[in-house]
Amino acid sequence: MFRKSTLVGAIIVLLFSFLSSIISVQAVSTTKVSAPDLEEPDTGMIYTPEKSPEGDPLKGGALAINQKFSVPGTEVSYNDLFTYHVGFKITWTVPEGITPQQFINALDMNNTSIWLGNNKLEISRDSFEINAEGKIEYKASSNSFELFLIFRYLWSLVFGRGTAEIWSYLYLDVNKLSENNPNDFSIGKIVTEGKLPPNQTNELSSTVTLYGLKDILLRTNRLSTDTWSNYISPWSAEKANSEENGKKDDTQVDGSTEVLGINRVLKGSDYKNRTVEIPITEKINPLEYIRVVNLFTKQVVTNVPVTIDSPAVKDDIDKQGNTSFLNRSTTYYYRGDQLLSPVPIHFLQKSHLKLVVNGGGNYSEKEEIPLKGMVETEGETVHYFYRVDQGEELPLENKSNNPKQLGAIVPGLTAGDHTITIKAVNEFGLYNTAEVRVTVYSGQLSLYSVPNRINFGETKKSSETITLPGISEGNLIVSDTRPETKKTNWVLNLRSSVSLVGEHTSLTYTNRKNKQLMINQADQPIEENLPNKPDKDNISEGWSNKTQGLFLKIPPEDQKIGEYSGKLIWTLQNTPSPN
């Protein structure tokens, strides 16, 4: 039979418990932190690479091992005279190729957390230990959290027989996980450095196990993610075996070779920095260099799909004297359709272009400016352009049959000093320029006017040779408006298209020096410049006295009734007369 004092005490205890639950509700409502909503696909082993310019699916980032356990609350907590006790343990097996201590060191504690319901447990890196089996172990106990704050939750687990929701989020820094991979013998661990750890079966896995009160095993789950075992290592037997592009394999720390049975590699410090030098006239064939190697077997793996990015071309141009030099680097990235990191290969090509142009000097307005020169370069095709001063760049026709010999004409320019820039471009895009300077003077040498007709008139037949002077209809004027310092000697030529009248008829010309010259179908120099003449020299002004000019001599045998005509051709040259 209960005593009155005992009954009152029991009522007080129950009332205190009830009031405590009410107080805890108020406390939780002001400090409650929601646990992450851990549902598929977040549950599991999840790899998130870091963003990289080359788009590497295996570089850096984080490896998450996320697991959610749902168990009866009484399996992880109990009440002993209203003193709540909580206890559970989680273990993780370490993925192959990673040591337990490396696993702990790689934990990103800013993102790693463990939750009991909506209550985040207080953890640090020291909360994780290595047990006798080499597994990572975490033990939760009542001192891992504020009991007062989760009083109501524990009440529901023990008395309401609720479900305990336990979340574990482990985030590991892949850069730390990748350190000292035991299967990588490359210098500096370059193959695995900073990458998701590889595995021979292309899978990383971890078994996550939950233990309840008294270390009773409650749940075991295996989590995994895909990983790699192969990597791209560009190579070409022909190029690697040459002294120009190959060398003895010096990439492994133990003196072995990257691939069994192959002791030559392409030049470069490692498989990510291979370079090949080929003539610029040779077409690059990136397909020739595809090679996939297995890290674990050191064998070449065939039938692995590899794609090649569009090339990135970088040109470095340097000019020394009259020669330009091109260093062209063409980079192709090789990517695997499976989990393979992209790897570049650099092709180096060189070209030079030497340009020498002869020309320049003094010219008159509208006078064509000749240019001659030569080009020395690779390939066969060279295109030429020119620009006058700061004007538009225009195509320049090379009249030489040899594309590496320049023979061109620049149209006449206006008066003044000019710089003509000649540009030569070879078929690889390398260009070079050369400059010539010209001075163009105003004025020019020209035939200002020629007679429209030379009329020898009418005459009667005679038994003697008839001589008929030509009467000019129009003037014969040579104009030379060039400055005195630019004037040169000139000569005027004359020829006829046919023999006038008859076979024995002769056409003569008497010039200003009273020299008689025969005119026929060949150019005959008839006049030249004389000193102290005006800019417009009227040569025909002396023809009116009939002692100078054209004369037609017709012997009796050619004197036949009729009208006769022919054509006279006048040609002016700025070269001295041979006479």
Side-chain angles (χ1 to χ4, degrees), residues 132-271:
E133 297 177 346
K135 297 180 179 181
I136 305 302
E137 183 176 280
Y138 167 79
K139 288 183 178 180
S141 60
S142 297
N143 59 4
S144 299
F145 36 78
E146 294 288 342
L147 277 174
F148 180 75
L149 293 179
I150 64 169
F151 186 87
R152 184 183 179 210
Y153 182 73
L154 295 176
W155 177 283
S156 68
L157 294 182
V158 175
F159 294 99
R161 298 190 180 278
T163 299
E165 303 288 350
I166 299 172
W167 290 267
S168 65
Y169 299 85
L170 268 58
Y171 279 80
L172 300 109
D173 183 347
V174 168
N175 284 299
K176 293 182 179 179
L177 282 182
S178 68
E179 295 174 352
N180 300 314
N181 189 284
N183 300 295
D184 185 2
F185 296 97
S186 64
I187 294 175
K189 304 283 186 179
I190 186 67
V191 178
T192 57
E193 180 187 30
K195 292 169 63 173
L196 183 68
N199 184 271
Q200 230 169 343
T201 62
N202 296 320
E203 180 188 63
L204 287 180
S205 65
S206 176
T207 300
V208 187
T209 303
L210 175 67
Y211 297 85
L213 297 172
K214 298 182 181 180
D215 283 346
I216 296 175
L217 190 153
L218 302 178
R219 300 284 188 279
T220 296
N221 292 312
R222 182 179 183 274
L223 308 179
S224 66
T225 189
D226 292 336
T227 189
W228 62 281
S229 59
N230 300 325
Y231 65 99
I232 301 171
S233 179
W235 192 77
S236 161
E238 178 184 354
K239 295 295 188 294
N241 289 328
S242 70
E243 291 301 320
E244 181 181 9
N245 288 299
K247 64 176 183 176
K248 183 179 179 181
D249 189 347
D250 57 358
T251 61
Q252 309 297 301
V253 292
D254 60 351
S256 63
T257 57
E258 181 183 12
V259 177
L260 292 176
I262 299 177
N263 60 6
R264 299 281 293 180
V265 294
L266 294 174
K267 283 187 176 178
S269 57
D270 53 67
Y271 78 108

Side-chain angles (χ1 to χ4, degrees), residues 183 413 418 491 501 503 505 573:
N183 300 295
L413 305 176
H418 299 283
V491 61
V501 183
E503 182 180 352
T505 301
Q573 292 180 303

Side-chain angles (χ1 to χ4, degrees), residues 101 103 221 321 331 452 454 516 524:
Q101 189 60 53
F103 186 97
N221 292 312
T331 300
N452 293 325
I454 304 293
Q516 189 179 76
Q524 174 65 48

Side-chain angles (χ1 to χ4, degrees), residues 97-158:
I98 301 169
T99 66
Q101 189 60 53
Q102 189 177 11
F103 186 97
I104 293 176
N105 293 341
L107 286 170
D108 176 4
M109 297 309 299
N110 292 323
N111 293 294
T112 293
S113 60
I114 297 176
W115 296 72
L116 176 59
N118 289 332
N119 302 280
K120 186 177 181 180
L121 279 59
E122 297 294 330
I123 62 172
S124 66
R125 198 182 305 277
D126 293 337
S127 303
F128 298 89
E129 298 179 350
I130 304 170
N131 64 21
E133 297 177 346
K135 297 180 179 181
I136 305 302
E137 183 176 280
Y138 167 79
K139 288 183 178 180
S141 60
S142 297
N143 59 4
S144 299
F145 36 78
E146 294 288 342
L147 277 174
F148 180 75
L149 293 179
I150 64 169
F151 186 87
R152 184 183 179 210
Y153 182 73
L154 295 176
W155 177 283
S156 68
L157 294 182
V158 175

